[in-house]
């Protein structure tokens, strides 16, 4: 058996800013052996700041102005963890995130952006851009026509935002720009300032200059000269500060809470931590908090992370003193300046649009990197993880409280079955298809429980079978702990006790469970029992195999992947509870053999046939689009043999991970069951009907 090179260095990219997306791109082009990348981001897509004004005006679609992190991370071989960080422990090498275990690192890079200094309850900060866009769209629907909106900040960001909003609102709302300087855009040459001033006048933007805004009080924007202006709300495009938890972590920060770094982008206080973008302050060579500098920091940051992982000398970043600045004026025009020279017009906008689109294409038109060479490790009992690693992982799990588990220190769990119950047992195991061990653990547990719910059993106990790649003990322990914590969360929520298991070292991460459930005698739901006329109900959409196959190729948009993950880590507990109250005749769960394969098992056991209505089959977001481009799971070809060459069967033969239940009910009960499932928040559907078997024909007929 071949195994990839052991993980020697965990590099965690905290935040999905412009510098970090460039790090991912460069590691996708040239992977670093022995290095594992992890990207932690709040949102699945990161907006490109250069296109924000165009997005607001309507020049660009949401998709055109956002970088989808899921395919980018897949191409870089990076773990993508969508969560909000709340703290960093530099000494312990751990990041605290909401709702999941800490994430360990050897090297950490921080690019979480900054936020404008907004007085309490005084409006909306323009950064972070993702949350700003959401609040702006809500604001647009809430404000009354004619309301006045103030944009606070006379720098390039505030000016361009005011012009973009004026174009978007087109007289629906009034715009006011507040500038602390005598006129907006003092960083630009006189010619550029004159062009911008004229553009503001033509756009109908009111201007208040030479004063600062101190807050919003009962519809009054308070100004430093003692006056005020009446506004509905204020949008703050002022100087930024770093998240409070950066300074609280013990990292050396400047007065604005941004991480102080050397010209090599390394923290001045912690040699294993780097920072770039708005949340960083370069010692001795400060740069404005603008997207252009975050973009340019990406290449040297990627290079120095490689060097740090290899123990090489870092290189100082030496950016040019001045950068070309281009500000969109709207209506296909822009003004640009550099080194005191300014130009304006349609050709300048054409140049800005070309630069921005070319930059975005770098992250959307890439090829997968080849896998690094592998080396061999021992198998058999020599592949067990060490006792220290196992003990550390188990110590992170909550203590069990199952009264049926007898206390013992022996080699296996000892259980006392409840009187009058039948035991239902099943086992499932598969290798990791996601690089997030916590989420993979959740999905593996939900998948294993499906066989129990398909037979109307209540989960009782589970034994884990886990394997992790060889690495340093701390890394193996963290991987194993995260998987088991994710699994334990799902098992405990469904009343299932994790009572033991087996762990081993292997070439790749894998996890499975041997599960036991309890069911009353006479209430076991089996595959046999279907009768002609029965309605077939499916309780989850199809397409997990297609989406996962697309993700492996870097073709899946983040919202599609998130929808698939959310479905896979949702157990069939709710569906089983609702459905069993309507007394189905037969049932199974839809997993590796796809809907067609598992339905075939039910039909064969019952001696009947069925017709499936293709238009009624529910699908996960993106599944049909991916299938139309020929993307499918490797098992789909084998599953397709049941249906022959019939067209439009991609979803029917798609192998499902943690799929839904497939149930057969008589017409008198099917409608009520479906209505109850839909009321319970499930995406269920009647997908077909049982009919007599046809001599010499396939059991499944498509309609």
């Amino acid at each position: 058996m071949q195994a990839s090179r052991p993980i020697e260095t965990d590099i965690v990219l905290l935040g999905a800013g412009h510098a970090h997306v460039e790090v991912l791109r460069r590691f996708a082009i040239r992977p670093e052996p022995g290095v594992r990348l992890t990207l932690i981001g709040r949102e699945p897509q990161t907006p490109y700041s250069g296109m924000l004004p165009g997005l607001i005006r309507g020049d660009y679609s949401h998709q055109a102005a956002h970088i989808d992190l899921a395919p980018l991370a897949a191409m870089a071989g990076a773990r993508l963890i969508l969560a909000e960080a709340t703290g960093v422990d530099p000494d312990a090498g751990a990041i605290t995130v909401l709702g999941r275990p800490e994430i360990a690192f050897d090297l950490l890079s921080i690019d979480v952006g900054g936020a404008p200094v907004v007085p309490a309850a005084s409006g909306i900060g323009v950064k972070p851009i993702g949350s700003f866009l959401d609040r702006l769209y809500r604001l647009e629907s809430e404000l009354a026509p004619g309301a006045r909106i103030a944009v606070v900040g006379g720098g390039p960001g505030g000016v361009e935002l005011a012009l973009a909003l004026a174009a978007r609102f087109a007289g629906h709302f009034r715009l006011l720009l507040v500038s602390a300087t005598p006129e907006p855009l003092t960083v630009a040459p006189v010619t550029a300032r004159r062009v911008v001033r004229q553009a503001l006048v033509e756009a109908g933007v009111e201007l208040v200059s030479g004063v600062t805004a101190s807050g919003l009080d009962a519809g009054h924007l308070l100004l430093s000269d003692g006056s005020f202006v009446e506004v509905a709300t204020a949008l703050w495009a002022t100087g930024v500060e770093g998240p409070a938890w950066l300074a609280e972590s013990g990292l050396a920060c400047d007065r604005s809470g941004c991480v102080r770094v050397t010209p090599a982008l390394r923290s001045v206080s912690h040699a294993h931590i780097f920072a770039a973008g708005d949340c960083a302050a370069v010692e001795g060579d400060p740069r404005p908090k603008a997207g252009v500098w975050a973009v340019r920091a990406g290449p040297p940051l990627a290079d120095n992370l490689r060097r740090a992982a290899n123990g090489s000398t870092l290189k100082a970043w030496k950016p040019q003193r001045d950068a070309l600045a281009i500000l969109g004026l709207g209506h296909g025009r822009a003004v640009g300046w550099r080194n005191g020279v300014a130009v304006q017009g349609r050709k300048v906008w054409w140049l800005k649009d070309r630069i921005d689109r070319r930059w975005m294409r770098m992250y959307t038109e890439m090829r997968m990197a080849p896998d690094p060479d592998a080396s061999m490790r021992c198998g058999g009992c020599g592949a067990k993880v060490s006792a220290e690693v196992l003990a550390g992982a188990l110590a992170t799990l909550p203590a069990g409280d199952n009264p049926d588990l007898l206390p013992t220190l022996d080699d296996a769990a000892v259980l006392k079955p409840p009187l009058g119950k039948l035991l239902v047992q099943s086992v499932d195991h598969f290798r990791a298809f996601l690089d997030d061990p916590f989420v993979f653990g959740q999905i593996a547990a939900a998948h294993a429980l499906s066989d129990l719910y398909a037979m109307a059993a209540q989960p009782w106990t589970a034994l884990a079978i886990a394997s992790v790649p060889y690495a340093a003990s701390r890394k193996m322990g963290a991987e194993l702990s995260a998987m088991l914590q994710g699994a334990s969360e799902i098992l405990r929520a469904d009343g299932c006790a994790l009572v033991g298991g087996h762990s081993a070292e292997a070439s790749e991460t894998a996890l499975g469970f041997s599960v036991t459930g309890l069911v009353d005698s006479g209430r076991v739901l089996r595959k046999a029992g279907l009768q002609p006329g029965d309605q077939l109900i499916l309780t989850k959409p199809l397409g997990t195999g297609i989406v996962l196959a697309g993700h492996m190729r870097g073709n899946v948009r983040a919202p599609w992947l998130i929808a698939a993950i959310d479905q896979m880590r949702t157990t069939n507990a709710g569906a089983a509870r609702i459905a069993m109250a309507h007394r189905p005749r037969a049932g199974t769960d839809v997993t590796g053999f796809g809907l067609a394969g598992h339905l075939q098992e039910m039909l064969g056991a019952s001696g009947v046939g069925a017709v499936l209505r293709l238009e009624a089959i529910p699908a996960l977001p993106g599944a049909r689009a991916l299938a139309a481009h020929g993307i499918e799971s490797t098992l789909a070809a084998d599953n397709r043999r049941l249906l022959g060459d019939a067209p439009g069967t991609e979803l029917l033969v798609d192998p499902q991970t943690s799929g839904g239940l497939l149930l057969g009910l008589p017409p008198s009960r099917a409608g009520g069951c479906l209505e109850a499932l839909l009321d319970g928040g499930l995406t269920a559907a009647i997908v077909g009907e049982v009919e007599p078997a046809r001599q010499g024909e396939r059991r499944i007929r498509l309609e």
Side-chain angles (χ1 to χ4, degrees), residues 244-304:
W245 54 263
L246 283 178
E248 293 168 358
S249 69
L251 289 167
C253 295
D254 65 6
R255 292 182 179 180
S256 64
C258 296
V259 181
R260 294 167 51 203
V261 296
T262 69
L265 302 175
R266 171 184 270 174
S267 164
V268 301
S269 59
H270 295 81
H272 61 308
I273 295 179
F274 295 74
D278 285 357
C279 68
V282 181
E283 297 277 273
D285 196 10
R287 286 289 184 273
K289 304 295 185 182
V292 61
W293 300 113
V295 168
R296 296 188 180 189
L301 176 62
D303 183 46
N304 280 333

